[in-house]
Amino acid sequence: AAAPPPDFAAQARAERVSRRVKAMTANGWERRSIEAARSEGYDEARVSGYLDALRRLDKSRLGGVVVLAGNPGSGKTAATARWAITRDDHAPRFLRAAEFFRSSRYTREGDEGESRDRLLKRPALVLDDAGTEFADASGSYRTDLDELVDRFYADGRILVVTTNIVWATPRQRDAAKGGADEITFSDRYGERVVDRLRECGQWVSSSARSMRGVP
């Protein structure tokens, strides 16, 4: 029997994914997230709320800010990687929040990593795991996040923030959980940042169970 004709469309898709993975790796994405997101068994339905919000950013062409909130293991980071692999535009820069808040404002001789000034000029940035960085007594991390949100929104660029902090404000927390003392985003970063997000961003939360260890 004759050999089946080559599937050029499948080859093109595979080459595209390979190029995108290389670009993501160069932009700080971690191997584990990339592998999870490109898996044939990846179930987009489990994180449809996250992915819908991310893909609306691309469709709008106006940039914007999205915060993906949820408990550890709810699929936030993998969802951002899935979005990055499947989007038509370039691979966003990926950075752990703790690394961002430690970064130097300007590049100096001997410094490792990308300077804060260059990070703030990226066309798209994923800031992962906000809330795990060191909370210095002066509160400079609050000012830094406020500047980050403001700069990306003002320039019409894309900023995605993931966090294990489930609630944006104490009012939302208390309404849903009857006054529990769980920390909220406004507790951590101040009402000014949350007000800015109300103006220019989306808060997307999920109560999904942990996906860690789920095939």
Side-chain angles (χ1 to χ4, degrees):
D7 188 341
F8 293 112
Q11 291 176 10
R13 286 194 298 271
E15 290 173 0
R16 178 190 176 280
V17 168
S18 179
R19 290 194 299 269
R20 176 53 56 89
V21 167
K22 289 180 180 178
M24 289 174 66
T25 301
N27 277 302
W29 290 83
E30 298 162 354
R31 179 179 176 183
R32 183 172 182 174
S33 299
I34 293 173
E35 292 304 316
R38 68 182 297 196
S39 167
E40 292 184 4
Y42 187 86
D43 185 0
E44 291 196 357
R46 286 177 173 170
V47 290
S48 59
Y50 292 151
L51 286 173
D52 287 348
L54 294 170
R55 287 168 176 164
R56 281 197 298 271
L57 285 177
D58 289 329
K59 289 178 181 178
S60 73
R61 297 294 177 184
L62 297 175
V65 182
V66 168
V67 178
L68 305 184
N71 292 311
S74 60
K76 302 179 294 295
T77 304
T80 61
R82 182 72 170 187
W83 164 67
I85 286 174
T86 55
R87 72 193 300 247
D88 292 331
D89 211 336
H90 60 270
R93 177 72 161 90
F94 178 91
L95 193 68
R96 292 280 186 179
E99 184 180 352
F100 171 76
F101 290 110
R102 287 198 308 265
S103 61
S104 300
R105 173 65 63 177
Y106 304 106
T107 303
R108 296 172 296 188
E109 187 175 353
D111 282 350
E112 294 183 3
E114 197 169 2
S115 70
R116 179 82 58 83
D117 189 55
R118 289 192 62 187
L119 290 168
L120 287 169
K121 295 176 181 177
R122 286 279 187 166
L125 174 69
V126 174
L127 187 73
D128 189 60
D129 230 0
T132 60
E133 71 282 347
F134 175 68
D136 59 281
S138 67
S140 63
Y141 66 100
R142 291 184 171 192
T143 303
D144 291 342
L145 184 62
D146 184 61
E147 179 186 15
L148 183 68
V149 170
D150 184 61
R151 289 276 291 273
F152 273 77
Y153 174 64
D155 294 341
R157 292 177 286 132
I158 289 175
L159 173 65
V160 178
V161 179
T162 77
T163 182
N164 292 337
I165 301 174
V166 177
W167 310 108
T169 66
R171 179 178 294 180
Q172 291 178 346
R173 176 199 62 200
D174 296 345
K177 303 189 72 176
D181 59 358
E182 187 175 355
I183 190 172
T184 69
F185 209 74
S186 61
D187 292 331
R188 176 77 178 181
Y189 297 107
E191 191 62 30
R192 174 183 168 85
V193 170
V194 175
D195 280 343
R196 186 65 54 83
L197 290 172
R198 290 191 188 104
E199 174 189 353
C200 67
Q202 301 175 64
W203 179 278
V204 185
S205 60
S206 171
S207 59
R209 63 185 175 87
S210 175
M211 294 183 186
R212 289 171 183 165
V214 177

